[in-house]
Amino acid sequence: MARGLIFDCDGVLVDSEPLAAAEIKAMLDRLGLSISHARIYEEFLGRSFSTVVAAARGQGLDLGPALPGYAEALALRFRRDLRAVPGMAEVLAQL
């Protein structure tokens, strides 16, 4: 009998990647660094946010001033839009 379970949260319990990608794109767009959603998924998602900061720095852009606003916007989006993966609540209830 299993005594515990470990979940990789994103994509298993919730799917936060599309929300995070949208907020990264919005932040970079506001700062004048236009980037496609495809590139965000390829280069940034699943990696630390310091990867995004370093990539922007490589383009000559300092994200430091935008980071507090990004964190607030992402937290708001998560509170507003983050939902459990369909069926996950039932699976957890059965466990």
Side-chain angles (χ1 to χ4, degrees):
M1 178 70 139
R3 294 175 19 161
L5 294 170
I6 298 173
F7 289 98
D8 173 15
C9 183
D10 193 48
V12 176
L13 300 178
V14 297
D15 191 10
S16 63
E17 282 188 350
L19 304 176
E23 288 303 324
I24 289 171
K25 179 161 180 35
M27 175 187 63
L28 295 175
D29 285 349
R30 282 190 303 273
L31 295 171
L33 185 60
S34 183
I35 187 170
S36 70
H37 279 285
R39 187 169 168 208
I40 289 170
Y41 272 87
E42 290 170 14
E43 295 183 26
F44 302 138
L45 292 184
R47 296 181 177 94
S48 69
F49 195 73
S50 63
T51 302
V52 177
V53 172
R57 189 177 302 119
Q59 297 287 323
L61 188 61
D62 177 18
L63 295 184
L67 294 181
Y70 165 78
E72 291 172 13
L74 184 59
L76 175 63
R77 183 169 294 227
F78 282 175
R79 281 193 302 275
R80 186 183 65 221
D81 298 331
L82 193 61
R83 301 287 178 267
V85 168
M88 187 49 65
E90 293 79 13
V91 168
L92 293 174
Q94 288 184 7
L95 293 174

